Amino acid sequence: IHFISSQNPKNFAKKIFRSSISDIICKGCEPIVYFLSLSLKKINKNWLNKFKMEINNDSKKYGLFLGGGDTIKSKKLSISISIIGNANKKPVLRKNAKRNEDIYLTGDLGNSYLGLLVKKKKKNLGKDNNIFTRFYLKPDLPFEFSKSLYKFASSAMDVSDGLIKDLNSLCLASKCGANISFKNLPFAKNVMKLAAKKRIDLKNIFSRGDDYQILFTANKKHRKLIKYLSRKTSTKISLIGEIVSGNHVKMTHNNKLID
């Protein structure tokens, strides 16, 4: 479920568009053109104008143009966006991770899930409510950093279903295992403050999905380059673990295995 209510396009249009962009930039590819398929129950010009404005603003922000699509009448509202892009050399797939390589993650975890809880009125986080809601409605994509991904990443994918599930998918494709450390997982400062006050539990929010950050692996020789590009593009990059032999994803905290 990509949006809770369809009344106001401002509350979901950017999320749908950016989640589609995330699928292509996490492969180190540059998005160029998008195709929009729209199924509508009825024509509402005010709604359509708002939807168009949201999509147009984001297409300009990320440098895409509308190539075509289809608009039909339907019993349910349905929006599908397909994006075509260009690989600098070749796409960074999820199947080429190698043993002893580093595992990295861009951005922070949990912000979007907290935003969803706020939207559903299951959490009230006071002055942080709007911050988390924004992350849920308007994912902050690592767009500039993704342009250099092909230079060092052996495998990559976006975190949309949750860190553990997505890392497991990467390991299955690469026929390997992974060891990650909970203490190395990235959380925003306000999230850490809420956890310190016991208003949230980090273990309950770190792998809930909708983060739209890039999970990637790289040879240890690329550490300096990755740090440099992190600073250059103002992108938070965290080294969270290592690729190992086997076929399991294991997480430890204070040298203890977390189920």
Side-chain angles (χ1 to χ4, degrees):
I1 299 174
H2 286 104
F3 50 91
I4 300 170
S5 170
S6 62
Q7 289 184 349
N8 189 351
K10 287 186 177 182
N11 290 336
F12 63 85
K14 280 185 167 62
K15 181 179 179 65
I16 296 172
F17 196 62
R18 294 183 189 186
S19 66
S20 299
I21 293 174
S22 179
D23 279 332
I24 197 165
I25 67 170
C26 74
K27 304 303 178 187
C29 298
E30 177 191 5
I32 297 173
V33 56
Y34 70 99
F35 296 85
L36 171 65
S37 294
L38 191 60
S39 302
L40 298 168
K41 291 188 288 185
K42 60 181 180 179
I43 299 298
N44 182 321
K45 288 185 178 180
N46 183 48
W47 188 96
L48 282 169
N49 282 333
K50 289 180 179 178
F51 179 79
K52 177 184 176 182
M53 183 172 67
E54 293 297 306
I55 297 297
N56 278 352
N57 287 342
D58 254 24
S59 63
K60 290 177 182 177
K61 176 181 175 71
Y62 294 106
L64 283 81
F65 69 92
L66 177 62
D70 196 16
T71 306
I72 62 170
K73 188 175 182 180
S74 173
K75 291 181 179 179
K76 291 184 178 181
L77 171 66
S78 178
I79 305 163
S80 179
I81 295 175
S82 301
I83 296 179
I84 295 176
N86 181 55
N88 193 292
K89 289 187 177 180
K90 60 181 180 179
V92 183
L93 305 179
R94 63 175 71 174
K95 67 177 183 178
N96 294 314
K98 303 291 191 301
R99 192 165 62 90
N100 296 326
E101 286 187 333
D102 291 329
I103 303 172
Y104 290 93
L105 185 66
T106 66
D108 291 310
L109 294 170
N111 291 337
S112 180
Y113 179 64
L114 289 173
L116 176 61
L117 294 181
V118 170
K119 288 285 289 181
K120 288 185 171 182
K121 301 188 185 305
K122 293 184 177 181
K123 280 279 186 186
N124 184 350
L125 302 173
K127 61 184 175 116
D128 290 324
N129 279 348
N130 289 336
I131 295 173
F132 293 126
T133 300
R134 183 182 65 79
F135 273 105
Y136 175 70
L137 298 177
K138 303 174 183 178
D140 188 14
L141 303 181
F143 190 72
E144 290 302 318
F145 178 80
S146 71
K147 296 176 182 179
S148 299
L149 202 62
Y150 74 94
K151 297 177 181 178
F152 50 80
S154 56
S155 67
M157 64 184 297
D158 68 346
V159 179
S160 54
D161 294 331
L163 175 64
I164 297 301
K165 185 175 180 179
D166 290 323
L167 179 55
N168 187 62
S169 296
L170 187 148
C171 288
L172 283 172
S174 295
K175 298 179 181 179
C176 63
N179 290 341
I180 55 176
S181 172
F182 187 82
K183 70 176 184 179
N184 292 337
L185 298 185
F187 298 100
K189 290 181 180 178
N190 52 346
V191 172
M192 296 297 288
K193 288 179 180 178
L194 289 168
K197 295 177 181 177
K198 299 190 183 302
R199 296 184 65 185
I200 61 171
D201 186 341
L202 296 178
K203 292 179 182 177
N204 289 337
I205 69 164
F206 82 94
S207 190
R208 295 289 186 162
D210 276 346
D211 298 297
Y212 298 109
Q213 294 299 319
I214 300 177
L215 173 70
F216 66 95
T217 59
N219 190 293
K220 289 179 172 57
K221 68 181 181 181
H222 294 306
R223 285 183 176 182
K224 286 185 177 180
L225 173 60
I226 293 169
K227 284 183 179 179
Y228 166 74
L229 290 169
S230 172
R231 293 193 301 269
K232 183 181 178 181
T233 61
S234 299
T235 305
K236 183 176 181 179
I237 310 290
S238 301
L239 174 55
I240 64 170
E242 184 179 45
I243 294 296
V244 297
S245 57
N247 56 6
H248 296 289
V249 174
K250 296 179 181 179
M251 177 178 286
T252 57
H253 185 50
N254 295 329
N255 295 321
K256 292 182 180 179
L257 193 65
I258 300 176
D259 294 329

